[in-house]
Amino acid sequence: MEEYAASREIEELVHREFPALASEFTDPVGRRRFLQLMSASLALAGAGACTRQPRETIVPYVRQPEEIIPGRPLFFATALVENGVAMPVLVESHMGRPTKIEGNPEHQASLGATDARSQAAILTLYDPDRAQTISNRGEVRPWGSFLAAMQLAMTGQRAAQGAGLRILTGTVTSPTLAAQFDSLLKELPRARWHRWEPSGRLAPRQDFIYHFDRADVVLSLDDDFLSCGPGHIRYARDFASRRRGAAASKQPFRFYAVESCPSITGSKADHRLPLKPSEIAAFARALNGGARLSEQQAAFTDAVLRDLRAHRGRSIVTAGDTQPPEVHEEVRRLNAALGNIGTTVVAAQPVEARPVDHAASIAELAADMAAGRVSLLLIVGGNPAFDAPADVNFAEALKKVGLAVHASLFEDETSAFCHWNIPLSHSLESWSDARAYDGTESIIQPLIAPLYNSRTAHEVVAALTARPERSSYDIVREHWLKTRGLDEQAWRRALHDGFVAASSGGATHQAPGTYQAPGTYQAPGTRTEAPGTVEILFRPDPAIGDGQLANNGWLQELPKPLTKLTWDAAVYVGPQTADRLGLAAGDLVEVRAATRSIRMPLVIVPGHAPDSATVHFGYGRRRAGRVGSRVGFDAYPLRTSAAPWHTRGEIVRTGETYPLATTQNHFLMENRNPVRVATHEAYQREPEIFRHMGHTPPKTLTLYPDYQYTGNKWGMTIDLDACTGCNACVVACQAENNVPVVGKDQVIVSREMHWLRVDTYYRGHLDNPETYHQPVPCMQCETAPCETVCPVAATAHSAEGLNDMVYNRCVGTRYCSNNCPYKVRRFNFLLYADFTTPSLQLMRNPDVTVRSRGVMEKCTYCVQRINAARIESKKDGREIRDGEIQTACAQTCPAQAIVFGNMNDLGSRVATLKAEPRNYGLLEDLNTRPRTTYLGALRNPNSELEKRDLSRDRHEG
């Protein structure tokens, strides 16, 4: 036995995290042999089974920074930049390591909230696949060599006044960077600065800021303002605040949405009208007295107009950035006629510096490159070789440039065609500045020294000037202190607050171009289409955007709103279109437009406009990194500069299928009312209507002994009327609690690890149903079914009502998961956490255990934050204040739908909300007594349109 225990075979089985015979664990025949080996020798080999921890060298401070206290984080105000626009944030830092991103509560653009991409930015910072070295034609070079090469190239450019110099960037709102470009172009008047932002606003137009908290009626024309666009965080807050006020009073709020592809914003509408893209312009004209469309659309138009006119000065009409100038002009005229401009709709200067038509700009650049007129090209950020319009053929034109320089966060598709590649610093490593959606200017400060040999955009552009050696700190500081007249005290104040006081709208921008109707829209029925012809919409992926975030595993695995699809892009069509074309979900189809075609899987989405399809771009990357390369299908080959947002094409069956990974496959409520819904009128008439939708067993009907909580009694409420289903809470929980990604194959077999999910439910007709979202964390049940079945007491109840999870007790029986009716427990079937990549170790929250294989995990109300607040309150000799503890999901929620607090404090916000008539528990008929409860959703339908809707068949979809 001793000799057998010491054999090489059993030592390998014991020591390796993934044994060579791991497949035998699940094979009935092999498992028997494995158990024979283990039972005969584990007791004898037990001493050798302990894993030796790697040696760590601890180097003490020679002089400890006075502001750093081991174990306590610091917080710094800065900003992230998405599509060129600033997202103000507050970043948590542990011992010099940024670990968590929150919204800046003092900035009007966020008020403390963020979105999913901002939360995931921390993973991009520590991504080991980031570009790490400066290279010239594949050879590593020092920064000095690059500066010398640029100075040599610029000597010829200065002689020719910059005739061969071209600069390509995305949207730029940075005052400092814009000033650098202005100075360079003034010196070299024949040089050109081009812009291309594949998922941003392409054409310049008048900017407006909307105040949804002041409106009584809102109409959206294909504007997903709750999840897209520079101001969507603030808009979600104001929109939810207005709806919350309507629920608590008799001042109704009504929202109409007209859109082609179902969106988060459309899901919150009281009435939604699905229209093809070509019909939205006609609908906008009809609002201003133009010709009506079909009978149904005319009835919708008339009802909406009557409602808008009845609320003059307290209504809003919006149009999305994907809509042409014609639609925006119709919307501007309607807002002016309704008296909204100056009250709920405020005109503002564009935040982009020197706005241009992006599609025309990149087409002009590609033409110059193809003609050999570009001898020096500097590309700052972006990936135009991948995402430029297909008709400009940017990659081929790039081969004809004399000297091409690309500054980028990753070595991507564009890097392969450039001579010099410069690693670009992440926003959390950079000194810079940018404007938020309302024009407020923020100073961007670094929280960590660059992890790699990277440079900021300011330093790369400075390499073209006579002062190439300046650092980004010197460039930004000089601009604000010398050019903008900021004094030292104001500079430090701006760094502390995260923005420059009274800077909103203070910058001067070039006037936007005039509106011109594109002339490409045709009235429905004016042309005959082939049987498979549809209108094709192009939209950025809801998770990874235009593709620059394709290597972010958190976003890849984030379930997309409505479809819950992960790790892929798909063609979205409605049930009517799918039936007409004979298509089913999961079919691999060919999408054709003009002479171009792509292949992509199909998803059927209830509520999609008929005879149209939505194609999301951003996937199909070839050089994204180990996570994002060769994932999904590339939709950019269909997108042209003349039709960047929608075109005509056809969908053809290939006869093949494609596996899709989704986290929700069942969208029925099964008459159990997980989401309780009532109209505003019914709620005012009968406040107890929500409680009548379910059965609550009496408290005496239980075998559990009653427990009196004399101290804190933690609980949570989630307002379903406010929740938009944006998924920001899911990524916030993932970042806070070190939750790993598992990959597409594991998601397919339902092994996703998110501690929090957002369920979607449909009600009504499949062609245009009502849509509801429901975040589902651990319910923290008072009579928890999971606790009674755990054989080792790994899941136990705390004295403050938390359903705790003790990881080092768990032996992986999964009894608790089987007994949980909410299915909110997650099991590490494999070693999902990365324990080997150094940069990913820096990213993790040190206050939360990193779990290994064979351990069950779940939401714990961010118990680490509860403990931190408890320590501070004890030091101060006081009780924990209401609102002092914010769970990660509650803190990031733009709509403030999640509220956490002490239920024993009757004056707390959570106790007040739990006393509302709208409050109810999920599956409370099971008598689990969940601590997490919900506030029912309210609708305020227009009676005219409601009668028309009720005449149709209604069923759960």
Side-chain angles (χ1 to χ4, degrees), residues 519-806:
T520 59
Y521 290 90
Q522 299 180 358
T526 58
R527 56 183 289 181
T528 303
E529 304 293 349
T533 299
V534 295
E535 294 191 22
I536 301 173
L537 290 83
F538 300 107
R539 295 292 184 269
D541 184 80
I544 66 170
D546 55 27
Q548 295 190 45
L549 299 174
N551 209 53
N552 192 302
W554 290 355
L555 296 177
Q556 285 278 8
E557 201 156 287
L558 181 67
K560 300 182 193 348
L562 305 179
T563 65
K564 307 305 173 187
L565 179 67
T566 68
W567 292 100
D568 263 308
V571 181
Y572 288 6
V573 298
Q576 282 185 349
T577 306
D579 290 343
R580 180 172 68 85
L581 301 178
L583 301 173
D587 283 351
L588 190 64
V589 299
E590 185 172 317
V591 185
R592 301 170 181 171
T595 60
R596 302 177 177 88
S597 67
I598 61 170
R599 288 160 66 93
M600 190 172 281
L602 185 92
V603 170
I604 299 176
V605 183
H608 200 289
D611 300 324
S612 61
T614 299
V615 175
H616 290 101
F617 53 81
Y619 275 90
R621 293 286 306 277
R622 297 173 293 278
R623 287 170 56 99
R626 71 192 77 178
V627 173
S629 294
R630 298 174 296 279
V631 174
F633 299 84
D634 184 9
Y636 278 114
L638 294 183
R639 201 175 182 221
T640 64
S641 55
W645 295 119
H646 88 270
T647 187
R648 294 183 184 270
E650 58 180 333
I651 298 178
V652 181
R653 293 183 62 186
T654 64
E656 302 176 43
T657 59
Y658 181 83
L660 295 172
T662 59
T663 59
Q664 184 180 353
N665 298 306
H666 192 78
F667 297 85
L668 297 175
M669 296 196 198
E670 302 292 0
N671 297 319
R672 304 188 74 174
N673 291 325
V675 176
R676 300 186 184 180
V677 185
T679 65
H680 188 275
E681 180 184 359
Y683 176 64
Q684 294 293 332
R685 186 174 60 251
E686 184 186 359
E688 300 295 320
I689 188 172
F690 289 99
R691 293 177 180 173
H692 295 162
M693 294 180 185
H695 170 66
T696 304
K699 289 188 176 182
T700 56
L701 189 64
T702 179
L703 296 177
Y704 284 83
D706 192 23
Y707 185 85
Q708 297 298 323
Y709 295 93
T710 57
N712 297 313
K713 183 181 179 181
W714 304 116
M716 176 180 285
T717 61
I718 302 176
D719 189 348
L720 300 183
D721 200 39
C723 175
T724 63
C726 69
N727 282 325
C729 54
V730 177
V731 185
C733 175
Q734 191 163 18
E736 172 71 19
N737 295 293
N738 302 327
V739 177
V741 296
V742 300
K744 178 179 177 179
D745 293 340
Q746 293 293 300
V747 174
I748 288 178
V749 294
S750 300
R751 291 180 177 177
E752 63 272 8
M753 293 298 295
H754 295 131
W755 289 8
L756 171 66
R757 71 174 189 268
V758 182
D759 291 340
T760 297
Y761 295 103
Y762 295 115
R763 190 179 76 164
H765 200 279
L766 282 174
D767 294 336
N768 189 19
E770 300 166 15
T771 306
Y772 300 99
H773 309 284
Q774 184 174 50
V776 185
C778 175
M779 296 290 110
Q780 311 292 339
C781 303
E782 188 65 35
T783 56
C786 57
E787 296 173 0
T788 57
V789 295
C790 182
V792 292
T795 175
H797 222 71
S798 76
E800 295 182 337
L802 296 188
N803 182 240
D804 290 334
M805 190 71 218
V806 186

Side-chain angles (χ1 to χ4, degrees), residues 2-342:
E2 289 83 358
E3 291 173 357
Y4 197 60
S7 68
R8 182 172 300 177
E9 181 182 16
I10 193 62
E11 285 183 2
E12 184 181 7
L13 284 171
V14 170
H15 282 285
R16 293 185 59 184
E17 179 63 33
F18 293 99
L21 303 179
S23 61
E24 297 188 6
F25 294 176
T26 56
D27 180 70
V29 179
R31 185 170 57 210
R32 185 178 299 111
R33 175 60 178 158
F34 173 77
L35 291 174
Q36 289 174 352
L37 292 175
M38 298 298 283
S39 62
S41 56
L42 272 183
L44 300 175
C50 298
T51 303
R52 181 181 297 274
Q53 294 295 324
R55 293 188 62 181
E56 298 181 10
T57 303
I58 299 176
V59 181
Y61 282 114
V62 176
R63 180 178 298 170
Q64 178 175 325
E66 62 181 22
E67 70 276 8
I68 291 183
I69 300 175
R72 294 191 60 180
L74 295 174
F75 296 86
F76 297 89
T78 182
L80 303 174
V81 177
E82 182 177 356
N83 293 338
V85 182
M87 171 61 68
V89 295
L90 200 63
V91 184
E92 181 178 356
S93 176
H94 285 89
M95 305 291 287
R97 299 180 295 108
T99 58
K100 185 68 170 61
I101 295 173
E102 307 291 358
N104 187 340
E106 297 183 4
H107 199 295
Q108 294 301 306
S110 75
L111 298 178
T114 55
D115 58 7
R117 291 177 191 162
S118 299
Q119 289 290 328
I122 202 76
L123 180 59
T124 301
L125 168 67
Y126 292 108
D127 192 335
D129 292 338
R130 280 178 52 191
Q132 301 182 12
T133 58
I134 300 170
S135 63
N136 179 24
R137 302 177 188 272
E139 299 292 330
V140 177
R141 292 287 185 266
W143 176 246
S145 297
F146 171 71
L147 293 181
M150 290 301 100
Q151 290 300 303
L152 180 62
M154 288 302 295
T155 300
Q157 293 299 327
R158 290 188 178 93
Q161 294 187 318
L165 174 63
R166 300 293 185 273
I167 300 172
L168 176 62
T169 69
T171 300
V172 172
T173 68
S174 165
T176 301
L177 190 59
Q180 286 182 272
F181 286 136
D182 289 342
S183 177
L184 189 63
L185 295 175
K186 185 176 181 180
E187 179 188 356
L188 306 171
R190 299 179 66 186
R192 294 292 179 268
W193 173 23
H194 295 278
R195 259 66 58 83
W196 171 244
E197 192 73 61
S199 60
R201 179 184 300 174
L202 299 185
R205 60 175 175 83
Q206 174 66 60
D207 258 3
F208 291 100
I209 296 175
Y210 302 102
H211 294 277
F212 292 98
D213 54 336
R214 304 175 187 172
D216 293 334
V217 178
V218 174
L219 169 64
S220 164
L221 300 184
D222 205 21
D223 185 5
D224 193 7
F225 59 83
L226 294 180
S227 69
C228 299
H232 71 278
I233 297 294
R234 178 59 188 266
Y235 291 161
R237 171 70 63 89
D238 291 347
F239 183 87
S241 174
R242 183 62 185 89
R243 290 192 71 140
R244 193 176 292 112
S249 67
K250 294 185 179 181
Q251 297 180 351
F253 171 78
R254 186 171 293 131
F255 174 40
Y256 302 92
V258 178
E259 61 185 6
S260 303
C261 180
S263 66
I264 281 178
T265 302
S267 70
K268 303 302 294 182
D270 296 297
H271 291 283
R272 178 181 173 274
L273 178 64
L275 291 181
K276 293 188 294 185
S278 60
E279 295 175 336
I280 293 180
F283 182 87
R285 290 193 294 269
L287 292 172
N288 283 310
R292 296 291 196 266
L293 303 175
S294 67
E295 179 184 351
Q296 178 191 7
Q297 295 166 5
F300 189 93
T301 304
D302 292 340
V304 170
L305 279 174
R306 278 192 289 270
D307 212 355
L308 289 171
R309 289 166 181 165
H311 297 85
R312 292 179 181 274
R314 292 193 60 83
S315 59
I316 294 176
V317 184
T318 74
D321 284 341
T322 61
Q323 291 301 305
E326 173 194 9
V327 174
H328 286 278
E329 175 61 14
E330 297 288 353
V331 166
R332 185 198 64 78
R333 289 174 53 202
L334 187 58
N335 277 317
L338 292 170
N340 297 332
I341 296 181

